[in-house]
Amino acid sequence: MEEKNNIQIAIEAFGHRHPEVKLEKSTISDQDIVGLENKLHITIPAAVKDYFQSYIFSVPFITGKLLGDFSQTYCEETGRWREMEIEEEISTRILQLPFMFPNTDLREFERENEIFIGTGFLYLGLYDEEKYVLLDLQTEQVYQVDMARVRPTSKEETRADILKWALPFFHSFEDLARCFFAGELYDEEEMTFQEKGEQK
């Protein structure tokens, strides 16, 4: 029996919590990933490869519960953003990654990464519809950066903008999966997970 990796376990936990969401086994092969690495001139971290080879989703984005300095929260019932009430501490945020409906292969991911070639960062997806989610290929730390702050002009300017404006988001892609797939409450400012029942 094949041993499951942390990414698969987190995504399957998401599937159990959301049985209405169809998870399909990914058909991405090792050869597909090598082809992508050659085109982007990078080595893709193991956790991201695990993600590529896990599942394809029937939803356009996923949500996670975060603590932080938020004024709005995404309302899953209405599908809209709303102002947070004074007593609310937890905000629902949205994340779009590759292989969410309708993307089922690496072509869109490759296209999105073209402006990041040579910057030392890998584009992973979008956070709150307006921020790039980027992975530092050296440290494998995950960052968020406002899309409007990044000039897609040259690799030097794009990298300079990322270094200037990017904010640390998660220590690793595995942590991102724990928050958005496994449903663990995450403190964005402290970059730590909250224990169940723990008060801020």
Side-chain angles (χ1 to χ4, degrees):
M1 184 174 165
E2 181 189 351
E3 187 176 337
K4 292 179 181 176
N5 59 58
N6 292 335
I7 304 299
Q8 281 178 294
I9 292 167
I11 294 171
E12 287 173 7
F14 169 79
H16 292 308
R17 287 197 332 277
H18 298 280
E20 74 281 4
V21 176
K22 186 179 177 187
L23 298 181
E24 290 183 22
K25 196 74 180 92
S26 170
T27 58
I28 301 297
S29 68
D30 291 339
Q31 190 174 354
D32 292 331
I33 293 173
V34 170
L36 178 66
E37 289 178 320
N38 289 338
K39 288 174 183 172
L40 299 179
H41 312 292
I42 61 170
T43 298
I44 293 173
V48 179
K49 290 179 185 177
D50 289 343
Y51 174 76
F52 287 160
Q53 297 184 312
S54 60
Y55 295 97
I56 292 168
F57 307 81
S58 62
V59 291
F61 58 82
I62 50 173
T63 59
K65 304 288 186 191
L66 284 82
L67 294 169
D69 187 19
F70 299 113
S71 61
Q72 290 189 318
T73 184
Y74 180 77
C75 180
E76 295 180 86
E77 290 75 30
T78 64
R80 295 193 174 117
W81 292 92
R82 66 164 174 81
E83 298 297 316
M84 290 181 70
E85 304 292 336
I86 292 172
E87 68 275 7
E88 287 184 284
E89 292 184 335
I90 299 170
S91 179
T92 300
R93 316 309 293 177
I94 64 175
L95 179 70
Q96 183 176 358
L97 295 172
F99 307 131
M100 293 182 170
F101 179 82
N103 300 322
T104 57
D105 60 37
L106 290 168
R107 284 178 294 183
E108 178 72 11
F109 183 78
E110 178 190 335
R111 188 180 67 75
E112 294 285 358
N113 262 291
E114 286 174 0
I115 68 167
F116 298 103
I117 291 175
T119 65
F121 290 87
L122 180 70
Y123 164 90
L124 295 175
L126 293 178
Y127 175 57
D128 288 351
E129 304 173 299
E130 59 187 22
K131 295 172 186 160
Y132 290 126
V133 179
L134 304 174
L135 184 141
D136 184 319
L137 289 165
Q138 278 196 315
T139 66
E140 296 191 18
Q141 183 164 339
V142 178
Y143 292 85
Q144 57 170 301
V145 60
D146 192 322
M147 294 168 67
R149 301 277 193 187
V150 179
R151 295 167 293 175
T153 45
S154 69
K155 67 181 179 184
E156 290 80 16
E157 287 181 329
T158 302
R159 178 173 169 78
D161 290 343
I162 293 168
L163 294 175
K164 182 175 182 180
W165 299 109
L167 298 171
F169 195 17
F170 290 95
H171 292 293
S172 65
F173 187 78
E174 287 95 335
D175 280 358
L176 179 149
R178 284 177 64 188
C179 175
F180 283 95
F181 289 115
E184 296 185 42
L185 179 59
Y186 183 71
D187 188 323
E188 188 182 60
E189 293 173 355
E190 300 294 328
M191 293 181 67
T192 58
F193 287 92
Q194 300 292 297
E195 296 299 325
K196 285 188 172 110
E198 183 180 340
Q199 295 296 315
K200 186 170 165 68

